Structures are given as structure tokens and as C-alpha cells.
Amino acid sequence: MNGSHAAVAVFDTSAVRFCLDEDAIARIVIDQTATVLWRSRAAAVLLAGHSPLVDRGGKIGGVDRRTHHFLMERMAEALAGHEVCQFIGSEDLDRRFLLRMRAVHDGDQLALVIVLKDFDAPANLPRLGALFGLSIMEARILAEIIAGHSADRIAELKGVSVLTVRTHIKHIHGKMGVRSKEEILATVIKIFA
């Protein structure tokens, strides 16, 4: 070795998923008519509790009309060959869930695999903060960014100046290796979905 090599940091989001609590991830396999073919234990618990999706007599549906319509649209996208990865919620729930859906083929059989993750579970954001080496305040601001709040609104909520919030956001960008709010959300979706 001549000592002239440069260290390059590469962040592999697929490896990060192993650091997260897999027991909190619900997996459901359905056919094209939304009939449940298989579900994990975590999915059974989630579907019986506070979730935007429900099991109605062996078929997956949305907990309310708007959520059901959203689910049917995402199923059509997945059946068309697109991988779906979006936040889902309902009018009655104040929690967000990350929905990931993709079609799988087994010979001539077609099924959809749904992964549903309770994004607002209390353990997720501290883990995300620790994963990127964020300070406590940076992790709290990250949570507000993910919730869709502007820098002005975050400053108001946290009781600090907008300049302080923008400085924290700059640090978050640097630690996460992103340049915008959209890239933050894309990174979070890759990790949790």
C-alpha cells in the first residue's frame, strides 16, 4: 500500500433494516382480490388493533372509505408492476404507517406482499437519530420535518429561533448525507419500508 487511497463512506440502507425491530413489521400476502393468503403474527396484532388496514372476513381493506380507496389505488399500481412505498393513515388515527407493496409471481400465480410499519411508534425516531448520530434536538427537529412542518413552524413549536432550526437542519443534512427535505423523506422510507 502506498498510502494514497482515499476513504469513501457508503451508506447501505438495506443493512440498516437489520438494526431495527423486525417484530414491529407486519407482513401480509394477498391475492388480486385482497384475500389474505398469509400474514405474520405482527400483522395479525396490527390488523386487530389501531391500524389503517383491517381484516374483513379474510380480505384486507381500509379502516375508512378514504383509506380503502387509497389501498385499492396502491394495489392497482403494484399489480401494474410498480413497487409502492408510501405513508398511509386514516381519519381516525393520529399515527402514520409506512406501506410497502409489491407484486410477486410464483409460476402463473400472482400475489401482493404488503409490509406495514407503524412509523410513529415511539422507538423508531430515537433509533433513527442514533443511526445517523443526531443530537437529541436534531432528532426532535427531524421528527418535525418528517411530520411536514416548515422551519418557521418548528421554531414556533420548539420555542427557538428560525436561525437555530435552520442550523440544526443543516447539521441533519450533513449527518444523513442529504440536501433537502425530500431526500430526508426518501432516506427514511428506504430504511423503514
Side-chain angles (χ1 to χ4, degrees):
M1 298 188 107
N2 61 9
S4 63
H5 66 284
V8 177
V10 177
F11 185 71
D12 181 9
T13 57
S14 62
V16 173
R17 288 191 203 118
F18 294 107
C19 301
L20 303 173
D21 187 5
E22 285 292 319
D23 292 336
I25 299 175
R27 288 181 177 81
I28 308 162
V29 179
I30 61 174
D31 67 10
Q32 297 175 37
T33 65
T35 301
V36 177
L37 303 173
W38 177 85
R39 65 179 174 204
S40 66
R41 279 184 254 168
V45 170
L46 198 59
L47 293 172
H50 298 288
S51 160
L53 302 182
V54 292
D55 183 348
R56 292 193 174 109
K59 286 192 177 263
I60 293 296
V63 72
D64 57 36
R65 176 176 270 162
R66 183 184 61 84
T67 309
H68 186 75
H69 183 67
F70 177 87
L71 176 65
M72 294 300 117
E73 288 176 345
R74 302 300 77 82
M75 284 178 58
E77 289 176 20
L79 288 169
H82 304 286
E83 185 166 336
V84 174
C85 192
Q86 291 184 326
F87 285 109
I88 183 174
S90 74
E91 295 169 2
D92 300 338
L93 299 173
D94 60 349
R95 300 179 92 136
R96 292 168 301 163
F97 290 77
L98 205 50
L99 173 79
R100 186 172 186 182
M101 188 182 309
R102 63 183 168 86
V104 293
H105 298 275
D106 184 19
D108 61 342
Q109 300 290 333
L110 179 66
L112 294 171
V113 176
I114 298 173
V115 177
L116 191 64
K117 176 92 172 140
D118 184 351
F119 184 76
D120 290 328
N124 289 339
L125 290 174
R127 286 185 183 159
L128 191 59
L131 182 65
F132 291 107
L134 303 179
S135 69
I136 293 170
M137 186 59 146
E138 288 167 349
R140 289 178 181 156
I141 288 174
L142 177 61
E144 298 299 335
I145 291 169
I146 292 169
H149 295 132
S150 67
D152 293 333
R153 179 69 178 135
I154 295 170
E156 182 182 317
L157 290 169
K158 300 299 177 194
V160 297
S161 74
V162 175
L163 183 58
T164 300
V165 171
R166 288 189 177 136
T167 300
H168 284 302
I169 291 172
K170 182 179 175 183
H171 293 159
I172 292 167
H173 286 174
K175 291 178 180 180
M176 290 183 72
V178 299
R179 293 175 285 175
S180 67
K181 177 182 177 179
E182 291 76 22
E183 288 182 15
I184 287 174
L185 295 175
T187 300
V188 168
I189 286 173
K190 284 179 189 173
I191 291 170
F192 284 99

